[in-house]
Amino acid sequence: MRLILLGCPGAGKGTQAKFLAEKYHIPQISTGDILRQCIREGTESGKKLKAIIEAGQLVPDEIVTELVRERISQPDAANGFLLDGFPRTIAQAEVLQQLTPIDYVVEIDVPPDEIVRRLSGRRVHPASGRSYHVLYAPPKQPEKDDISGEPLIQRPDDNEETVRKRLHVYHTQTSPLRDYYQRLNPAAYLKIDGMGSVEDIRNKIFSELNNK
């Protein structure tokens, strides 16, 4: 099973990807995770990537496509994979088509105002990576980590101004992927309503895939 998850930042792709990866026994390939690992390593490339992401811009196609090409060529992806956060542009999609066939594209559709609420409310404990949300999953004490009591932070790319910029970038550069994949294979394009509980959305996706 070779799957692509589409949806704007904050649509819940990462959460649903874990369910799908477990069900179909395929690796979840998150370009966000790959890029963050590069940033954590502190290389010159990582520093450039950090500046691009914090400015709310998309990472250049040639960098991302090379990282994905390397990842899907690894042994654990031989029988399938799930791409979370890639492709983001038509150019990336065209390169991917040359690299491998895709079975289904799943779009998680969430209104922009809900995305702003979700992302701008996120808080993170830097040392552990534990995450919270001021509305949906608040810490026991405001702005404090439940375990350590240390301050939580808002990632630079989660402040409201940057979130709105990211949504603008998504809709101008990434949303054309809908038309691209719907033209390529209409029967393989699944649009899922992303409002509701995590479990509701998971069940909608599984139901759609099971009916194919």
Side-chain angles (χ1 to χ4, degrees):
M1 180 74 82
R2 293 170 172 83
L3 298 172
I4 292 172
L5 274 183
L6 288 183
C8 55
K13 297 188 300 297
T15 300
Q16 297 302 326
K18 290 178 174 60
F19 294 134
L20 287 161
E22 182 178 344
K23 180 176 176 64
Y24 294 107
H25 307 290
I26 52 177
Q28 173 194 355
I29 300 175
S30 165
T31 50
D33 289 345
I34 295 172
L35 293 171
R36 280 189 284 274
Q37 178 62 35
C38 290
I39 291 169
R40 280 195 298 270
E41 290 171 356
T43 62
E44 202 60 38
S45 296
K47 292 174 184 175
K48 291 177 182 177
L49 286 171
K50 182 178 180 182
I52 291 169
I53 292 170
E54 288 185 353
Q57 299 171 353
L58 289 180
V59 177
D61 288 341
E62 60 271 18
I63 296 176
V64 182
T65 51
E66 178 58 22
L67 291 170
V68 170
R69 185 195 65 77
E70 291 176 0
R71 181 64 185 87
I72 65 175
S73 67
Q74 294 178 14
D76 68 332
N79 294 320
F81 51 79
L82 186 150
L83 289 171
D84 165 21
F86 182 92
R88 289 192 175 183
T89 66
I90 297 297
Q92 291 177 4
E94 290 173 341
V95 171
L96 182 62
Q97 280 299 118
Q98 296 169 7
L99 294 175
T100 182
I102 297 297
D103 296 311
Y104 295 103
V105 178
V106 179
E107 178 192 356
I108 302 176
D109 184 42
V110 180
D113 286 347
E114 173 63 17
I115 293 296
V116 172
R117 280 192 291 272
R118 289 183 185 182
L119 293 188
S120 62
R122 291 199 300 200
R123 298 293 185 270
V124 176
H125 179 239
S128 68
R130 285 186 288 273
S131 61
Y132 302 85
H133 194 283
V134 295
L135 295 177
Y136 306 130
K140 295 173 183 175
Q141 287 186 284
E143 305 297 330
K144 301 287 185 183
D145 178 55
D146 286 352
I147 307 299
S148 68
E150 294 172 342
L152 302 176
I153 65 165
Q154 182 184 55
R155 295 192 315 186
D157 54 335
D158 283 344
N159 73 63
E160 183 170 344
E161 181 181 354
T162 303
V163 169
R164 293 193 182 278
K165 188 182 295 184
R166 291 167 69 193
L167 286 174
H168 177 72
V169 169
Y170 173 80
H171 285 296
T172 55
Q173 296 190 31
T174 310
S175 60
L177 287 170
R178 295 171 181 164
D179 293 336
Y180 175 84
Y181 281 115
Q182 285 172 335
R183 285 196 306 269
L184 195 65
N185 187 351
Y189 192 91
L190 312 177
K191 187 171 182 177
I192 306 296
D193 180 2
M195 297 295 286
S197 72
V198 167
E199 292 76 15
D200 286 343
I201 298 161
R202 177 199 63 194
N203 293 340
K204 291 176 196 174
I205 295 172
F206 285 175
S207 176
E208 287 286 337
L209 288 171
N210 289 339
N211 289 333
K212 292 294 180 181

